[in-house]
Amino acid sequence: MNDKMVFRTALETWGADAQTLMVFEEISELQKELCKYARGRSNIEEIAEEIADVQIMLEQMIILHKCEKAVEEYRRSKIERLKIRLGISD
């Protein structure tokens, strides 16, 4: 079973509302770990784990809202804008 199938199964199992709330929780946990790091704690493993959790939940939100193409287009556009702001050329 590929990742997208796992994400779809999670959405079917727990439902859109529960998984949407889980996004908020996972983002909050990442925020907490980043705050700890900013205060001087060496918690890179915890940060990495929370980033993975957030990425998994975001993938589920892309599936739920059927916006994969739009997300990719916005991502490309925003990366190009960032490159311009940084003075980076291809």
Side-chain angles (χ1 to χ4, degrees):
M1 182 178 282
N2 68 32
D3 292 350
K4 284 189 181 185
M5 291 173 65
V6 173
F7 301 151
R8 282 189 179 94
T9 301
L11 284 163
E12 291 167 7
T13 301
W14 292 300
D17 290 343
Q19 292 308 87
T20 299
L21 289 174
M22 187 59 68
V23 172
F24 304 149
E25 182 178 329
E26 296 300 350
I27 290 172
S28 174
E29 290 174 3
L30 174 58
Q31 180 180 8
K32 179 186 74 168
E33 292 303 330
L34 291 171
C35 285
K36 288 179 183 178
Y37 182 84
R39 290 192 308 266
R41 183 170 175 195
S42 179
N43 62 336
I44 299 303
E45 287 299 314
E46 290 84 356
I47 291 170
E49 180 180 0
E50 297 307 333
I51 289 171
D53 288 342
V54 169
Q55 286 180 329
I56 288 167
M57 296 311 301
L58 291 176
E59 289 294 327
Q60 289 181 55
M61 293 301 100
I62 290 169
I63 291 167
L64 175 65
H65 297 287
K66 299 176 177 84
C67 61
E68 183 173 8
K69 184 176 179 182
V71 168
E72 185 54 38
E73 289 172 4
Y74 278 115
R75 179 180 163 82
R76 270 196 306 271
S77 171
K78 289 174 182 280
I79 290 170
E80 287 304 313
R81 184 177 65 192
L82 180 60
K83 287 163 62 175
I84 292 167
R85 288 179 178 170
L86 294 170
I88 298 171
S89 60
D90 289 336

